[in-house]
């Protein structure tokens, strides 16, 4: 009843045209990236404005990336790191969020104050001492170095606390009357009732850490533990040189996984970022 | 005029069409003698009070009430912040707006609240700001969409009287949408009953209650619901319920007989029924019974001091045929001719 | 039939039962430990480091008070980085907010194509920043880049060198920054727009608003206030952190023309291993972020929340 009426296509044309034009402009980097990844190098150097290649060189470009760069290795590293980070973030933040939202215990207000304080500190601030510590412990170039600093997400604690507070107390009282312990309540009652918050946070976390360059650049050297972001960086400086065709092919390959995931679960992504954004 | 119907029947949509917020696919809307079907909302000169009041949260009470005046009396340039004040003619217009706003606010007892924001007001106060915003510009018609549904019971009765009072003072045509039949019956001169997108009957509250033209109107208005009994008229036109004559006459065939709970009486030679339960309401008793032969449930209202029959007891119910209503099985009202000549009330059977 | 429920004298204690308090503590301890080790202690260590001349690899270090800060404000490089960062924020914040708002309003004003356009504008947010930086590098390449190809085709004889020109590099990076942030801001504005009660628009119509602009000024803009303030702060904090594109595309060059705060901090700390000095830069960065948050909560919040 409240939805605006579907306008006639004609009346909607100016809006569609404006959005289409701006959208096309925004898509330019993608369009040219794809186009360049299909062309042979000499065609690129002629700087022709034609999007369609005269000679298809896609197979050569993409196979060059796959032969010179351990693409799947980078992607695997990215998955391990993102999954590891998310696992620990949930493991620590969900119980803490529950305790802060629903339980009375000494020091709760101080703990929540610390969470709010932590929200103000960008992750770049603790980077230097963490780097020194990891290097002293010989942890550089390990998954641990990539995962450990992000195991605690004050933002996740805050988000879950806000969400759990909105859950009815009756849910927890009923569970206690049924004889379920607090630990089980967290994982078997609270979390299953909090999927919107959990997926929203998961998407937020994965997008952030899949794209992160700052920290991997600090603690990783060489291919063994390099994330996709580092992989593109290495390929760009070492292998590709001025071979933009292959570089664009590498960029396409590395961008694809998350973009595909986004296109499949578009609504969830957008809602996830919107809810985490608005609460942060 | 009140528009009443169950939720989802289309009454709010109808009101929005009248307001110009939604567009009718066909048909005409006239306000007074003016055809406004093709006019935009702004040009129709109607004021509306919304269910959730729809006050602008960032504006003070004074500014909220002034909006409809500012939109009409000031030009686009004059409404601009800062520059608006220097444009010739604007200060005079602003002063006249201020006078009208204060007058409207005073008449609703909002004089001391002018500089508050809606968020700092109680529900009843917000309601009155919404009313003030509606009356300030003396519209051709008022539209009110469930204006009382967000108030608590005590405030509702009080505001109900205030709205009637305003209506009497201002005198403009008012269309009042509600799902609450008691609001419709108490406040309106005329009541329109709406169901599933159709207006079933428009009449005075008394006529709607005592003389409904449609079974759906009869069952919607009145609490507890009117009792319905399936009945037959024989070839002579005598109406029977469970093979017992009622003293009413109608065209031969199946029909539906409806009697309000307060029109049923206990009578030794009435319809046999079994008592199912009793509800004590304070000023009366409700007796829930089931007709022995057909199994149809009935409700009757009794004076509270009467001795209460225990559940399971057999009793006999009768009614005054003058007060019984006859309907075709499709719900249309049927003229009942039976009681002509039966001046005294007739117990059936 | 029915069992009776008896109510004897019941005493209600206000405090938490021991069990609940214990469970509360147990459930927060893991997070508390991680917080301590990964966030609180390192942050405090950074603050302390800023007042030392600690360099990784050197055997000893000294407290030097405000030494790092005086060096910083005499260092031309830091001044340039600070100025560049502020210019970058100054470009990216207003433009990405205006464009994000404009697109959100356009999308919201109709039904057709909503999901598709939302997805298109959101794409940069989920794209690997480093890879897209490479795409931008090709797009903006002085000789073989399509942008300059287009400019030459329409008659510009010597188009700018974009990322390799000290005059244009900051502008080019800002353009990429705007491109990255539009989708994010658009999504936040869309959420803000759907939260505005439709009844207010109906009231505005009945009250006599005739044009889109009237309704925008009377309802949309004021009710979007809290969203706009939030988007403003978050975009400033996001763009003050600019690092990826600089690290990938220019490394601060040419001739420090694109040097920014976090990149300077990274270079001093992790390339030259001057941790004390780098920590001091981090502290300046932290103070700027805190300043923005303070501005949001104290100075502006009261104006856009209508209590």
């Amino acid at each position: 009843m409240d939805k605006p009426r579907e306008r006639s296509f004609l009346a909607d044309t100016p809006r569609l045209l404006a959005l289409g034009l701006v959208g096309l402009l925004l898509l330019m980097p993608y369009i040219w990236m794809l186009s360049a990844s299909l062309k042979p190098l000499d065609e690129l150097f002629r700087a022709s404005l034609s999007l369609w290649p005269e000679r298809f060189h896609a197979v050569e470009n993409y196979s060059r990336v796959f032969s010179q760069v351990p693409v799947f290795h980078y992607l695997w590293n990215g998955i391990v790191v993102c999954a590891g980070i998310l696992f620990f973030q949930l493991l620590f933040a969900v119980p803490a969020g529950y305790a802060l939202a629903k339980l009375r215990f000494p020091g709760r207000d101080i703990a929540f104050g610390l969470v709010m304080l932590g929200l103000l500190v960008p992750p770049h601030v603790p980077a230097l001492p963490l780097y020194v510590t990891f290097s002293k412990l010989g942890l550089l170039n390990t998954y641990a170095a990539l995962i450990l600093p992000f195991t605690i997400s004050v933002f996740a604690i805050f988000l879950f606390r806000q969400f759990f507070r909105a859950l009815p107390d009756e849910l927890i009282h009923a569970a206690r009357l049924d004889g379920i312990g607090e630990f089980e309540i967290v994982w078997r009652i609270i979390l299953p009732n909090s999927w919107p918050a959990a997926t929203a946070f998961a998407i937020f976390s994965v997008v952030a850490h899949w794209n992160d360059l700052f920290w991997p650049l600090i603690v990783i050297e060489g291919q063994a533990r390099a994330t996709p972001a580092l992989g593109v960086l290495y390929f760009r400086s070492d292998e590709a040189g001025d071979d933009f065709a292959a570089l664009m092919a590498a960029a396409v390959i590395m961008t694809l996984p998350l973009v595909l995931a986004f296109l499949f679960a578009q609504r969830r992504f957008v809602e996830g970022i919107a809810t985490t954004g608005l609460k942060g | 005029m009140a528009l009443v119907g169950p939720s989802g029947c289309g009454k709010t949509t109808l009101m929005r069409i009248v307001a110009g917020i939604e567009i009718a696919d066909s048909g005409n809307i006239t306000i007074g003698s003016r055809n406004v079907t093709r006019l935009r909302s702004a040009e129709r000169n109607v004021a509306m009070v919304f269910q959730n009041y729809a006050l602008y949260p960032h504006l003070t009470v004074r500014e909220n009430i002034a909006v409809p005046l500012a939109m009409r009396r000031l030009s686009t340039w004059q409404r601009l912040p800062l520059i608006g004040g220097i444009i010739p003619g604007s200060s005079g217009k602003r002063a006249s707006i201020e006078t009208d706003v204060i007058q409207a606010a005073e008449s609703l007892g909002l004089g001391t609240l002018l500089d508050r924001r809606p968020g700092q007001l109680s529900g009843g106060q917000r309601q009155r700001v919404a009313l003030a915003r509606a009356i300030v510009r003396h519209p051709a018609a008022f539209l009110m969409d469930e204006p009382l549904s967000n108030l608590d019971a005590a405030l509702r009765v009080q505001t109900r009287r205030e709205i009637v009072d305003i209506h009497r003072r201002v005198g403009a045509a008012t269309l009042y949408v509600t799902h609450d039949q008691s609001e419709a019956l108490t406040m309106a001169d005329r009541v329109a009953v709406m169901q599933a997108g159709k207006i079933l009957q428009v009449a005075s509250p008394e006529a709607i209650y005592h003389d409904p033209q449609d079974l759906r109107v009869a069952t919607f208005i009145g609490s507890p619901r009117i009792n319905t009994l399936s009945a037959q008229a024989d070839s002579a036109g005598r109406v029977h319920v469970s093979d017992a004559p009622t003293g009413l006459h109608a065209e031969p065939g199946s029909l539906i007989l409806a009697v309000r709970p307060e029109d049923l009486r206990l009578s030794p030679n009435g319809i046999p029924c079994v008592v199912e339960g009793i509800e004590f309401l304070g000023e009366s008793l409700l007796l829930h019974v089931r007709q022995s032969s057909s199994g149809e449930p009935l409700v009757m209202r009794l004076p509270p001091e009467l001795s209460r029959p225990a559940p399971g007891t057999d009793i006999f119910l009768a009614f005054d045929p003058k007060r019984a209503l006859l309907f075709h099985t499709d719900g249309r009202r049927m003229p009942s001719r039976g009681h002509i000549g039966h001046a005294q009330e007739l117990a059936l059977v | 039939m029915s069992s009776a429920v008896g109510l004897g004298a019941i005493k209600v204690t206000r405090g938490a039962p021991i069990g609940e308090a214990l469970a509360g503590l147990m459930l927060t301890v893991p997070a508390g430990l991680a917080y301590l080790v990964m966030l609180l202690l390192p942050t405090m260590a950074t603050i302390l480091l800023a007042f030392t001349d600690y360099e990784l690899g050197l055997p000893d270090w000294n407290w030097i008070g405000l030494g790092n800060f005086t060096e910083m404000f005499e260092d031309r490089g830091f001044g340039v980085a600070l100025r560049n960062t502020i210019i970058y924020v100054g470009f990216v914040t207003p433009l990405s907010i205006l464009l994000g708002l404009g697109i959100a309003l356009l999308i919201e004003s109709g039904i057709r194509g909503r999901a598709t356009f939302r997805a298109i504008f959101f794409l940069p947010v989920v794209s690997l920043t480093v890879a897209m930086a490479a795409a931008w590098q090709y797009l903006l390449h002085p000789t073989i880049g399509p942008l300059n190809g287009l400019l030459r085709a329409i008659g510009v004889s010597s188009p700018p060198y974009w990322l390799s020109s000290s005059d244009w590099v900051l502008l080019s990076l800002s353009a990429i920054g705007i491109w990255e942030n539009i989708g994010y801001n658009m999504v936040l504005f869309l959420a803000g727009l759907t939260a505005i009660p439709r009844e207010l628009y109906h009231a505005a119509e009945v009250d006599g608003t005739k044009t889109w602009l009237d309704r925008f000024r009377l309802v949309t803009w004021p009710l979007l206030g809290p969203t706009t303030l939030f988007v403003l702060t978050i975009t400033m904090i996001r763009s003050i952190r600019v690092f990826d594109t600089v690290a990938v595309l220019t490394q601060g060059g040419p001739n420090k023309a694109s040097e920014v705060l976090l990149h300077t901090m990274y270079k001093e700390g992790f390339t030259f291993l001057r941790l004390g000095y780098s920590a001091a830069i981090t502290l300046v960065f932290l103070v700027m972020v805190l300043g923005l948050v303070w501005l949001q909560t104290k100075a502006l919040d009261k104006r856009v929340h209508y209590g």
Side-chain angles (χ1 to χ4, degrees), chain B residues 16 20-21 40-42 46 48 50-52 54-58 67-68 71-72 79-80 119-120 133 137, chain C residues 199-211 213-215 217-219 222-223 302-303 305-307:
Chain B
R16 287 180 176 174
I21 296 165
R40 308 193 35 160
S41 191
V46 295
M48 187 159 171
F50 292 85
Q51 189 171 3
N52 302 308
L55 300 177
Y56 307 108
H58 57 293
V67 166
M71 287 296 162
R72 283 188 169 68
R79 264 185 276 122
L80 284 181
Q120 300 162 305
R133 186 174 66 177
R137 57 177 224 242
Chain C
E199 228 181 30
L200 282 182
Y201 287 104
H202 298 159
E205 267 191 58
V206 176
D207 281 346
T209 53
K210 293 184 191 74
T211 60
L213 193 67
D214 276 341
R215 278 189 292 279
R217 273 189 42 211
L218 184 62
V219 179
L223 275 112
K302 291 203 182 87
R303 293 199 185 177
H305 286 111
Y306 317 107

Side-chain angles (χ1 to χ4, degrees), chain C residues 219-233:
Chain C
V219 179
T220 313
W221 181 248
L223 275 112
L224 223 44
T227 311
T228 311
L229 174 61
F230 173 76
V231 172
L232 183 71
T233 327

Side-chain angles (χ1 to χ4, degrees), chain C residues 294-305:
Chain C
W294 180 83
L295 209 66
Q296 179 198 5
T297 50
K298 287 283 173 272
L300 293 166
D301 225 16
K302 291 203 182 87
R303 293 199 185 177
V304 290
H305 286 111

Side-chain angles (χ1 to χ4, degrees), chain A residues 199-200 203-204 207 257-275, chain C residues 107 113-126 183 186-187 190:
Chain A
T199 41
I203 286 164
F204 166 84
V207 168
L258 205 57
V259 167
L260 281 183
F262 164 64
L263 292 180
F264 273 117
Q266 213 219 98
R267 179 171 282 275
R268 285 204 177 283
F269 265 74
V270 172
E271 277 166 8
I273 300 286
T275 46
Chain C
I107 289 182
R114 267 190 194 187
T116 316
F117 283 117
R118 206 179 50 179
I120 289 175
F121 294 112
F122 197 68
L123 209 54
V125 179
V126 293
M186 171 204 69
V187 164
L190 279 177

Side-chain angles (χ1 to χ4, degrees), chain A residues 136-194:
Chain A
K136 295 247 158 88
L137 295 175
L139 284 176
L140 296 184
N141 287 316
T142 60
Y143 284 139
L146 285 168
I147 294 172
L148 281 175
F150 304 106
T151 49
I152 182 68
S153 167
V154 278
F155 174 60
I157 298 178
F158 178 75
L159 186 72
F160 285 125
R161 174 193 179 262
Q162 301 302 87
F163 195 88
F164 294 162
R165 268 165 74 92
L167 291 178
D169 280 336
E170 285 82 4
L171 197 70
I172 296 152
H173 294 322
R176 285 194 195 136
L177 285 177
D178 290 344
I180 304 175
E182 296 295 325
F183 292 87
E184 264 187 293
I185 288 179
V186 173
W187 299 113
R188 290 189 34 197
I189 311 286
I190 299 293
L191 193 60
N193 281 295
S194 311

Side-chain angles (χ1 to χ4, degrees), chain A residues 71-239:
Chain A
V71 171
F72 293 108
H73 187 74
Y74 291 154
L75 293 177
W76 173 246
N77 283 345
I79 291 168
V80 169
V81 170
C82 284
I85 288 174
L86 184 61
F87 173 77
F88 284 107
Q89 282 177 336
L90 291 178
L91 186 71
F92 292 154
V94 172
Y98 167 71
L100 288 176
K102 294 291 189 193
L103 300 179
R104 288 162 296 170
F105 60 93
R108 183 175 77 165
D109 295 338
I110 298 170
F112 187 62
L114 284 173
V115 168
M116 297 305 285
L117 195 71
L119 280 176
L120 299 174
V121 181
H124 312 83
V125 175
L128 287 162
L130 285 175
Y131 168 73
V132 176
T133 314
F134 286 170
S135 104
K136 295 247 158 88
L137 295 175
L139 284 176
L140 296 184
N141 287 316
T142 60
Y143 284 139
L146 285 168
I147 294 172
L148 281 175
F150 304 106
T151 49
I152 182 68
S153 167
V154 278
F155 174 60
I157 298 178
F158 178 75
L159 186 72
F160 285 125
R161 174 193 179 262
Q162 301 302 87
F163 195 88
F164 294 162
R165 268 165 74 92
L167 291 178
D169 280 336
E170 285 82 4
L171 197 70
I172 296 152
H173 294 322
R176 285 194 195 136
L177 285 177
D178 290 344
I180 304 175
E182 296 295 325
F183 292 87
E184 264 187 293
I185 288 179
V186 173
W187 299 113
R188 290 189 34 197
I189 311 286
I190 299 293
L191 193 60
N193 281 295
S194 311
W195 280 125
T199 41
F201 177 73
I203 286 164
F204 166 84
S205 167
V206 168
V207 168
H209 294 291
W210 185 269
N211 289 333
D212 186 31
L213 178 67
F214 186 78
W215 185 248
L217 198 58
I218 291 171
V219 292
I220 300 299
E221 256 179 304
Q223 294 184 342
R225 292 288 179 265
T227 59
L230 279 180
V232 177
L233 195 67
Y234 292 162
F235 184 70
R236 184 176 156 275
S237 47
D238 307 338
E239 329 281 345

